[in-house]
Amino acid sequence: MRDELLLAPDIRYFNAANIGPTFRAVVTAQQRGTMEFHNNPSREFREKYPAMATRLRARLAARLNARPEEIALVRNASEANTVVLRGLDLRAGDRIILTEHNHQSTMDTWRLRAEREGLDLKIVPTPISARSPQEVVDAIAAAITPRTRAIFLSHMTNVTGLVYPVAAISELSRRQGFWLHVDGAQSFGWMKIDLTALGCDSYSGSTHKWLMGPLEGGVLYVRRDRLDDLHPLMLSHGYWLTDSKDLETAQKFEILGQRDDPKLDAINATLDLMDGIGEAAIETRVRALATEMRGILAKVPGARLIGTADPALSGPVIGLAFEGRDVLAMRSRLWREGRVATASAMANNQPLIRFSPHLYNSIDEMHLAAELLARS
């Protein structure tokens, strides 16, 4: 698989939570489609794209156990999150519950809306060392009031890899009638997702992280019986619409102006490759790699793993702390001496080195990272 990626052979890449390296075949598909598009940008040539978009929605819906009319094709998870965030009807005093490790774009946009409209934002601390799913659910339940209108959370946090028990939280939200939005930027691509089983009202994903697809590709799911409760950000003339009835589906959330039509080719090429491996096989392998890497990193002198030990609550994002050490300098050394690509993170005001291993990583690469850290 590594040979099928464009990733340079000397880079030990542990940053899928930010951007996943993509396949040669995906770049080839997008380049070919872009050349064809600009060689013939006529309306007659572009008539094929609405049908391509329809097929892609159906393909993604099958992958996510949803219906095609519940799927919108957007540019990334941040855009999908904002469509939901801005599209809900709210009044001054309404409570919105946010979990602490939501993506910063979601946090900042909610703060802006709350300031303008007098909303009550409640930020629930992420239980980094949670011992059970119920402990996570209880922390959210404690923040619910009669004025609660929505909960926004990350399926898996990009800081410590905590996987929220979405199905249990969905039961909570359905009983009390408020909206549950799940940011799936860190789960879409490596985890087998069943949106019907999860039970959330909306879900977002990006193609450029764990799916290892093109940049500026994303998906927004809105449950069919909730479509009328959410307003689109904007409406542009007829984009990818083939029938006025399309505006009664999730397509109303994807009409955002001219789009990169050849991106459809690139996303399909990505799905061809990932489906060739199989979703269940991908999740099994990624979880095994994350477990292996946690064990290797835990043996580094002075290292402390940040996160839960419960496998039901953990995914392939690993935060590593070093008390009293210059963590940024240690991370820089990883790159300088071993071309080990990681990310920085913060949890409880403590700097972390964040590793996010994926299918293309080897055990040898993990041991090299540990050896470099041990020498720092």
Side-chain angles (χ1 to χ4, degrees):
M1 179 183 183
R2 175 74 181 231
D3 291 340
E4 295 182 24
L5 300 174
L6 273 172
L7 184 65
D10 65 328
I11 295 179
R12 289 86 176 180
Y13 194 77
F14 291 102
N15 200 17
N18 178 220
I19 292 177
T22 196
F23 301 88
R24 299 175 190 277
V26 170
V27 175
T28 298
Q30 187 166 357
Q31 288 177 334
R32 182 176 58 245
T34 300
M35 292 291 287
E36 291 173 351
F37 179 101
H38 289 289
N39 183 61
N40 182 8
S42 66
R43 284 191 174 273
E44 287 76 9
F45 178 80
R46 289 183 284 132
E47 285 176 354
K48 68 178 184 176
Y49 291 119
M52 288 176 63
T54 296
R55 290 193 296 272
L56 181 55
R57 287 188 212 97
R59 184 174 190 177
L60 289 166
R63 183 185 184 90
L64 297 168
N65 193 22
R67 292 181 284 188
E69 63 267 27
E70 298 173 316
I71 300 295
L73 303 175
V74 293
R75 286 173 286 207
N76 49 49
S78 291
E79 183 171 79
N81 298 338
T82 302
V83 168
V84 181
L85 189 160
R86 298 293 300 170
L88 291 171
D89 268 332
L90 299 171
R91 297 181 180 180
D94 285 347
R95 168 162 282 202
I96 307 299
I97 297 174
L98 306 176
T99 52
E100 182 186 12
H101 291 163
N102 265 289
H103 192 271
Q104 200 60 47
S105 63
T106 299
M107 302 289 275
D108 289 345
T109 309
W110 266 121
R111 289 188 179 106
L112 178 63
R113 185 171 184 188
E115 181 180 343
R116 289 179 174 177
E117 301 178 27
L119 304 177
D120 170 27
L121 293 189
K122 176 64 176 178
I123 299 175
V124 178
T126 298
I128 293 172
S129 301
R131 290 165 292 183
S132 70
Q134 191 60 47
E135 181 181 342
V136 179
V137 175
D138 289 345
I140 291 175
I144 295 172
T145 70
R147 292 297 302 271
T148 298
R149 297 294 177 265
I151 295 176
F152 272 59
L153 56 82
S154 294
H155 195 178
M156 179 176 74
T157 77
N158 67 348
V159 178
T160 66
L162 175 75
V163 176
Y164 274 86
V166 172
I169 297 169
S170 292
E171 290 182 14
L172 200 64
S173 67
R174 291 235 186 155
R175 283 201 305 269
Q176 304 195 41
F178 49 79
W179 193 286
L180 174 61
H181 175 72
V182 177
D183 179 349
Q186 298 300 340
S187 57
F188 180 66
W190 74 266
M191 183 186 291
K192 185 171 174 58
I193 304 296
D194 183 335
L195 290 173
T196 299
L198 288 180
C200 54
D201 298 291
S202 51
Y203 174 94
S204 65
S206 291
T207 62
H208 68 273
K209 294 181 184 291
W210 299 92
L211 192 68
M212 299 191 291
L215 300 172
E216 290 197 17
V219 58
L220 170 64
Y221 157 85
V222 181
R223 206 174 72 229
R224 186 71 182 87
D225 61 348
R226 288 294 230 167
L227 286 169
D228 292 340
D229 299 328
L230 198 64
H231 305 292
L233 288 182
M234 62 176 282
L235 290 176
S236 181
H237 177 67
Y239 207 74
W240 286 347
L241 294 175
T242 55
D243 191 300
S244 60
K245 291 183 178 179
D246 292 340
L247 291 173
E248 299 172 8
T249 74
Q251 281 185 251
K252 67 180 179 178
F253 305 120
E254 66 183 32
I255 307 172
L256 301 163
Q258 178 61 50
R259 305 286 294 280
D260 181 6
D261 295 310
K263 192 70 58 60
L264 301 173
D265 291 310
I267 295 172
N268 271 312
T270 305
L271 292 172
D272 288 343
L273 290 159
M274 297 298 271
D275 288 348
I277 302 170
E279 290 180 89
I282 291 171
E283 179 170 348
T284 298
R285 179 62 176 162
V286 170
R287 287 190 181 277
L289 286 168
T291 298
E292 185 74 25
M293 190 162 203
R294 283 191 179 90
I296 291 170
L297 294 176
K299 296 175 183 177
V300 175
R304 183 163 64 90
L305 292 172
I306 305 298
T308 176
D310 187 334
L313 293 171
S314 62
V317 167
I318 305 166
L320 199 64
F322 290 87
E323 196 72 36
R325 307 277 291 279
D326 187 341
V327 174
L328 291 179
M330 296 175 73
R331 179 174 169 266
S332 294
R333 183 172 184 173
L334 285 173
W335 175 251
R336 187 176 63 252
E337 297 186 13
R339 299 275 278 175
V340 177
T342 61
S344 299
M346 291 286 292
N348 294 342
N349 295 316
Q350 187 169 27
L352 308 177
I353 302 174
R354 188 191 73 184
F355 294 84
S356 44
H358 204 359
L359 294 171
Y360 43 77
N361 289 123
S362 70
I363 306 302
D364 286 345
E365 289 177 326
M366 297 176 187
H367 281 293
L368 174 63
E371 290 167 11
L372 291 170
L373 288 171
R375 297 204 304 262
S376 296

